[in-house]
Each structure stands twice: as C-alpha cells, then as structure tokens.
Amino acid sequence: MKNIFLIVVFCLFANRLCAQIPAPAYSEYRFYEQLAAEKRLAFVPNPNTYNYDVTYQKLEIQIDPSQYYINGAVTTQFVAQEDMQTIVFDLSHQLQVTAVWQENQLLSYTQGNNELRIDLNEGVLTGAMGEVKVNYEGVPPTDNEAFVQSYHNNSPIVWTLSEPFGAKDWWPCKQSLNDKVDSIDIYLKTPQAMVAVANGMEQSQTADGNGWKTTHFKHQYPIPAYLVAIAVTNYEVFEQTAGTSPYTFPIINYLYPENYQSAVNQLAVTLPIMNLFENLFGTYPFHQEKYGHAQFGWGGGMEHTTVSFMGSFSRGLIAHELAHHWFGNKVTCGTWQDIWINEGFAEYMAGLVVAHLDGDDAFVNWKKQKYNSITSATWGNLYLTEEQALDSNRIFNGRLTYNKGSMVVHMLRYVLGDEDFYQGMKQFLNDPELAYGYAVTEQVKNHLEAASGKDLASFFNQWIYSEGYPSYQVAAEIISPSQIKIVLSQTTSHPSVSFFQMPVTLQLKGSNGETELIVLEHTENDQEFMVGVSLLDVQSIEVDPFADIITKDNKVSIQEGVALQSGEIEVFPNPTADTFQVVFPKDMEVLSMDLYDTKGKLIRKNINNPYHSSELSSGVYVLRIETEEQIYHKKVVKN
C-alpha cells in the first residue's frame, strides 16, 4: 500500500476561539490544517494492524443525540497480507466490546491500550479474505473531540470529526495511513424525529414502530478511516442538483432550522463553483454519489468525502472544501514534501472563483495580494526538504505553501496556456495510477510536459525546488514609430536561482492612454528584442500588468533611438479577414512564428505563412517571430 497524508480542513476549537482566526480567508483553514498536521506528525501507527488490508466495512450504530453514548456493531472484511491467527483493530479501551463473531462462531478477544486483539477460530492464509463482526458500546473518550454531543438553539446534536486519528474513539477501525477502505455501508439508528448524515448516498429509511428509525448510507469510493463521518440532529434538508448530463448528481445540505434560510441563500453559490471546477478540472470525482454540506459545532470546515462538515458558509470556505475533493480526496500529495499539490491547487481554485464570479480586475487584485505576501521575504522553496517536512509550521506556511503554491500553479497556466494546462491537470487527476491514490511533484511535471510537449525541468527547478523571485529591468529604445528595441534583464532575490526563464508581458501606454501588449520570451539575461508596435507615442511601459509572475521592484527606462538599418517585417493585409502573410527582409532566416492574444495566451504555435486567419475571433493578436538574431513581435488585427 502507498503512504497517504490526506490534507483536510478541520477546526480544533469551539466557535469562540475560531473568531480569533486572522482575517484572510486562507488563514482560517490553514490554521485548522496545521493543527491536524501537528497531530499527524506525532502519531505512531499501530504496527499490529499492518498484516491485513481492509476492503469493506459495515457500521451499524445507534445514537440518541440527547445522550453522550454509542452502541454499535462493525463488520470488517479484509485480505490477509500474511498468515493470520489474530487480527488487531484500533479501538478506545473506554468502549466496551460485548461480542466478536467470525461467521457464526463467537471469538475470544482482549482489550487494552486502545487496541482490540481478536483470536481467530479459523486462521486466514496470505491473500485470503476474512471477516469479523464486533459488537460494542459505551461512552467515547473526549481527548480527541472526535465524537461530540452538544446543542444548537437548544436542540441536541451528535457529530464526529475523526481527523486525524480519532476514529478509534467511536468505532473499531484501522487508523494507519497506509490503508483505505474500498467501500462502506453505514446504518444509523436514531430517534425517528432526527435526521442522520453520513458519507455516500442515502439508500433507505426504515422505522421500527417504537420511535426509532434506521437510515442506510452506502459509499463506494476508497476512504481512510478518519474521513468516515456521521452527524445526527433536527436538520432541515435543502437539495440542489449539479453536474452536466450524463453525470448529474445531488448536492444535499443538512441545515440547522434556526438559520435555514440564510444558509440556503449562501449555498446558492455552490452551483456556479461546482460548474466552474467541473469545467476546468473534470467531473466532480464522486459524481456517482453526492456532494453536500452538514452544519456542525465548530467554526471551520472538514471535507469529509461527499459531505463537508461546515461551521459557516462563506464563499471562500465553500470553494476550499469543494476544491479539496479534486486535490486532497481524489489525488493526495504523497508526502509532506509535496504538500503544495494539495494546498497550492486548492488555493488557486478559490482564486479562479474570484476570477470567474467577480471579474478580471478582482482576479488581478487577488494575484497581487498573493505576490505581495510572497515577496515580503526573499527566500522560500515550495517543495520541502526532509527536515522542513517534520515542522508543521513550515508545512503549512501561509506565504509559501498557500500563496506561493497558488501563484506557481497560476504561472504554470500562464506559461503553458489554458488548453495545455487544463488538459495536463485532467490527465493527472484521471491517471489510473494516481486517481483515488497519491501523487508526488514529479508526476505533476510529467503530466504537464506530456500535454504541452514542453520541457518544464527549468521551471520546476527554479520555482518549486529553489527559492526567490526575479526583479526585471527594461531598457526600451524607440527606433521608429513602429519599432522599439527592448533589452530585458533581471536580478534574482536568492542565490539558489541565477536566472528565471519566463515569458514576460509588457503593457505599452501611449500619450492618450491607449495601450498595447507584448509578450517577450525571456531566456537569457540582457536579452534584446525588436518589437513592432502600433502606438505612435509610447510614454510608459508596465512590467507584468496582470500580475502573472511572482516579481517585485521592476524598473523601466525609455529613450529615443536611431532608425533601423534594414527593412522591417511587414504583415499584410492588416487588419485581416481570411488570410494574412508576413514579409521579411532579404536573407532573414525565420525559426518560428507563434500567435498570442493580448494577454499572452498562446493561440497557435508554429503557424504557416501565409496563415488562414478565418478561424480566429475578431480582435487584436500578437505574432511572435523568432529569427537567428532577434525575437520580433507584430500586432495583427482580425476583423
């Protein structure tokens, strides 16, 4: 089995403490994730559970939310990894086991030190399937706050939050981080007036005629023990429908009656967020069942698979919990060193919500806030060293893991273009070796390289494995009304990188406020570019106007120059309708011609000359022409 380090959001304190969380949205869930990490780092897995692989569990649990008590039976099917005469489960010794069965035979067992050891009447050979059933009851321990009984508006509620290792406090399980249960059934027997919640899809509700009912849930995706969750109270249910045919699925929200309407209003945003994430990263990973939210008694959130437990319904928290169902629940970072995969992508997905729901200007401001934080210090690697991966403060560093992580994800999109970036990430998420399993940094790189055909070794070495950021120096010389020579240089903030190879967007502004964009492929320091422009009077140049690069303290100088000694590159007809052709001075050898939009997105690579432009939408484009001596940029207008 592969190691798993699921990064999930949870709140360790009551609401009164959650109010002390800093203002930025990510600080809230970062706080909970860091506290979870501290416990996981201190956790010593039970080696006595390593000799079997759990394949299926059935939980039959009776709960009255007005009482702090649990009565249950758990059936476990497992595959022996070696010949077995005993099997061990993690289970708090404060819960009393009343009987253990193997088929129809009662088994002997012992309890102690949070462990249940069962002697099997019939041994299980290596590779064979075994099954045992454990009956138990009692008052769960309170140390981990994994099983909680409390009140909301004078109504009782029981809910669980086992993250990271509290599942043993309320059911016999295997808590080690190297196993997932392939599927589970959960039967919750509760007072008839109460509503039960669990992972997966509700199958049925059956009343017994004595004031009790049993609600059956089935979950058929791999799940670790501590993401199994239940809750029982007087919920009101609000249902939405999401997804696109043929993969439509319900979003089932379990809400407190006292704030039902306000919660319904806030939850309306879940649908556009879900639509956005599905459109960009592929179908919701658990679409064969459901998504949903359940209110509970802490101030943060926890993305229990298919049903996030929520202390509030802010848009940022809704987006973050949902994003983790792609990066965290479906594909999980393989080690703490790769934590940026979980948190960088989840944070960036929350930023994409800003872009698509609030507009481009809001997204630029979001990115500027990120890189202002990142560049507040000159150092900081994204992929952690082994030593750093032992420090929860470093693992969940807000400036680096969240902010730099999200901006590096954006820069990958910026460098590759939308088509290759999103295609590569969909292939990553759907890789049979990774889906519902674990991934490391090199596997992200490999999938993006396969989708784009680009070598990303330099990008990953500079932005992920090394430290710092560039500061750009632009020296512009106006050669003629339609040509500018630009010398682009950079200094770096940290000695681990001497040069950051990146496409750099410049925005030229004329005397009347008109603007023009050019994208320069910066591959070496003091690089010279000859750029064709349409502005008659360039007054200023802005580096990285859309905040696409982590950079700071950029400087620009502009001066008048002398005329070109040779003929210029010409594009005609320009504006164009169906076809345009590029005419070059004699003896000029062209290496490539690529077409970009004005925001630097690659539209077509290695275009023909002449080029049939009828397929282009109306608008302004930039033609990047690489020759043996220079890189040129020509503006092309499509009518």
Side-chain angles (χ1 to χ4, degrees):
M1 307 296 291
K2 298 176 183 176
N3 286 334
I4 171 176
F5 293 91
L6 284 173
I7 310 306
V8 290
V9 179
F10 87 121
C11 179
L12 199 59
F13 297 103
N15 286 331
R16 60 186 179 85
L17 290 183
C18 292
Q20 300 174 16
I21 303 302
Y26 81 87
S27 296
E28 184 178 31
Y29 40 79
R30 179 174 67 86
F31 180 74
Y32 309 136
E33 289 169 334
Q34 180 174 334
L35 291 174
E38 290 171 356
K39 286 196 171 185
R40 284 198 292 278
L41 288 168
F43 176 71
V44 179
N46 185 352
N48 296 324
T49 65
Y50 285 179
N51 60 347
Y52 65 94
D53 174 22
V54 179
T55 59
Y56 168 78
Q57 288 185 292
K58 178 169 72 172
L59 284 66
E60 300 170 277
I61 295 173
Q62 181 172 343
I63 289 177
D64 182 343
S66 65
Q67 300 178 20
Y68 190 77
Y69 198 84
I70 190 169
N71 189 315
V74 173
T75 301
T76 302
Q77 294 176 358
F78 60 93
V79 174
Q81 301 299 302
E82 60 186 50
D83 293 352
M84 298 175 62
Q85 292 296 326
T86 63
I87 186 170
V88 173
F89 292 109
D90 296 307
L91 180 67
S92 171
H93 54 258
Q94 291 182 225
L95 297 173
Q96 181 182 359
V97 174
T98 56
V100 179
W101 301 82
Q102 184 181 23
E103 295 182 348
N104 295 320
Q105 301 179 47
L106 280 170
L107 304 182
S108 60
Y109 58 89
T110 57
Q111 276 189 268
N113 195 30
N114 294 323
E115 186 178 88
L116 170 64
R117 180 178 295 270
I118 301 168
D119 297 319
L120 301 171
N121 285 350
E122 298 181 13
V124 182
L125 299 178
T126 303
M129 178 76 73
E131 179 178 303
V132 294
K133 180 178 180 179
V134 178
N135 291 59
Y136 69 101
E137 61 181 292
V139 176
T142 59
D143 295 354
N144 294 307
E145 297 185 272
F147 183 96
V148 177
Q149 190 273 332
S150 62
Y151 290 85
H152 64 93
N153 199 35
N154 297 320
S155 297
I157 180 174
V158 162
W159 46 268
T160 65
L161 201 159
S162 300
E163 215 286 347
F165 300 113
K168 64 177 173 54
D169 291 351
W170 58 279
W171 61 290
C173 59
K174 178 180 176 180
Q175 291 200 141
S176 62
L177 294 177
N178 67 344
D179 203 357
K180 286 186 179 183
V181 188
D182 295 338
S183 64
I184 58 174
D185 281 287
I186 301 176
Y187 295 82
L188 290 174
K189 186 176 182 180
T190 65
Q192 193 162 341
M194 293 293 166
V195 175
V197 181
N199 312 89
M201 288 298 290
E202 182 179 315
Q203 305 295 304
S204 63
Q205 293 186 25
T206 306
D208 68 358
N210 297 314
W212 293 80
K213 69 177 179 183
T214 298
T215 307
H216 173 203
F217 292 87
K218 179 181 287 291
H219 179 63
Q220 299 186 82
Y221 290 91
I223 185 171
Y226 73 91
L227 280 183
V228 176
I230 60 173
V232 180
T233 190
N234 62 332
Y235 286 119
E236 290 187 20
V237 178
F238 167 58
E239 187 166 336
Q240 300 160 290
T241 300
T244 54
S245 180
Y247 299 122
T248 58
F249 52 90
I251 298 179
I252 303 175
N253 304 285
Y254 299 86
L255 309 175
Y256 293 159
E258 59 267 23
N259 54 18
Y260 174 85
Q261 192 55 55
S262 63
V264 166
N265 294 339
Q266 290 178 292
L267 285 166
V269 77
T270 309
L271 293 181
I273 294 175
M274 179 70 80
N275 291 341
L276 173 64
F277 290 173
E278 284 204 310
N279 180 57
L280 297 179
F281 292 96
T283 303
Y284 167 62
F286 305 93
H287 63 271
Q288 293 180 354
E289 295 183 357
K290 72 169 188 289
Y291 185 58
H293 306 92
Q295 284 191 267
F296 77 141
W298 283 349
M302 170 72 180
E303 73 275 16
H304 296 127
T305 309
T306 72
V307 56
S308 294
F309 281 20
M310 307 288 285
S312 64
F313 293 108
S314 68
R315 188 179 76 175
L317 190 59
I318 290 172
H320 186 86
E321 302 302 336
L322 180 54
H324 268 315
H325 278 72
W326 280 264
F327 295 93
N329 287 11
K330 182 177 184 180
V331 177
T332 307
C333 62
T335 72
W336 285 124
Q337 294 176 273
D338 305 283
I339 181 63
W340 76 276
I341 300 174
N342 280 32
E343 300 308 335
F345 276 92
E347 185 72 3
Y348 187 59
M349 289 170 75
L352 292 174
V353 171
V354 174
H356 286 261
L357 299 189
D358 299 339
D360 291 341
D361 290 344
F363 187 46
V364 169
N365 289 334
W366 181 89
K367 289 183 287 184
K368 286 181 177 179
Q369 290 175 355
K370 294 299 180 190
Y371 75 54
N372 285 340
S373 164
I374 299 162
T375 59
S376 65
T378 60
W379 52 269
N381 49 300
L382 202 52
Y383 179 83
L384 303 185
T385 66
E386 291 184 2
E387 183 179 358
Q388 290 170 337
L390 298 175
D391 179 1
S392 64
N393 286 309
R394 181 61 181 86
I395 293 169
F396 289 98
N397 182 287
R399 182 177 71 86
L400 297 172
T401 297
Y402 290 79
N403 291 344
K404 184 176 181 180
S406 62
M407 279 301 295
V408 165
V409 172
H410 175 75
M411 289 193 298
L412 282 166
R413 176 187 166 203
Y414 170 69
V415 167
L416 297 178
D418 282 7
E419 182 177 352
D420 288 343
F421 171 77
Y422 287 116
Q423 182 61 33
M425 293 318 303
K426 287 177 182 178
Q427 291 171 358
F428 168 81
L429 289 165
N430 294 322
D431 185 335
E433 296 296 318
L434 308 179
Y436 307 99
Y438 325 102
V440 296
T441 296
E442 284 299 298
Q443 289 167 315
V444 176
K445 172 177 167 288
N446 293 343
H447 277 281
L448 290 174
E449 286 182 332
S452 65
K454 289 189 175 181
D455 183 351
L456 293 174
S458 293
F459 183 99
F460 274 67
N461 288 336
Q462 292 162 6
W463 288 109
I464 295 175
Y465 295 112
S466 299
E467 306 182 47
Y469 55 85
S471 295
Y472 291 103
Q473 298 85 46
V474 176
E477 185 178 356
I478 300 175
I479 302 300
S480 73
S482 60
Q483 291 278 345
I484 294 181
K485 183 176 79 171
I486 292 176
V487 178
L488 184 58
S489 309
Q490 67 171 254
T491 55
T492 63
S493 70
H494 193 273
S496 63
V497 181
S498 60
F499 181 85
F500 287 90
Q501 182 173 321
M502 288 289 289
V504 180
T505 301
L506 303 180
Q507 180 171 263
L508 284 58
K509 182 174 289 188
S511 56
N512 294 323
E514 66 276 29
T515 61
E516 184 171 342
L517 294 172
I518 59 174
V519 180
L520 307 179
E521 196 68 39
H522 199 203
T523 59
E524 59 185 33
N525 227 339
D526 303 323
Q527 190 171 358
E528 188 174 300
F529 302 86
M530 295 300 297
V531 180
V533 296
S534 59
L535 295 179
L536 296 179
D537 185 18
V538 176
Q539 295 293 307
S540 65
I541 299 175
E542 181 180 358
V543 179
D544 189 36
F546 305 111
D548 292 317
I549 304 173
I550 300 171
T551 183
K552 182 182 183 180
D553 294 333
N554 302 308
K555 294 179 172 56
V556 176
S557 65
I558 304 176
Q559 65 179 9
E560 296 289 337
V562 297
L564 284 175
Q565 298 303 309
S566 60
E568 295 184 4
I569 298 171
E570 297 293 341
V571 178
F572 76 91
N574 194 10
T576 179
D578 299 318
T579 303
F580 66 81
Q581 184 169 354
V582 185
V583 178
F584 301 96
K586 186 178 180 181
D587 299 330
M588 179 177 284
E589 184 174 349
V590 178
L591 302 179
S592 66
M593 292 196 301
D594 301 330
L595 195 65
Y596 291 81
D597 68 12
T598 55
K599 291 187 177 181
K601 176 184 175 183
L602 179 63
I603 303 300
R604 296 289 183 273
K605 189 173 180 64
N606 293 324
I607 68 170
N608 297 321
N609 189 24
Y611 178 68
H612 296 285
S613 56
S614 56
E615 61 185 38
L616 297 176
S617 301
S618 298
V620 178
Y621 297 86
V622 176
L623 184 61
R624 178 184 180 275
I625 303 167
E626 183 174 358
T627 72
E628 285 189 328
E629 294 81 18
Q630 305 279 359
I631 295 177
Y632 299 84
H633 292 78
K634 299 293 291 186
K635 180 179 177 181
V636 179
V637 178
K638 170 62 170 35
N639 286 336

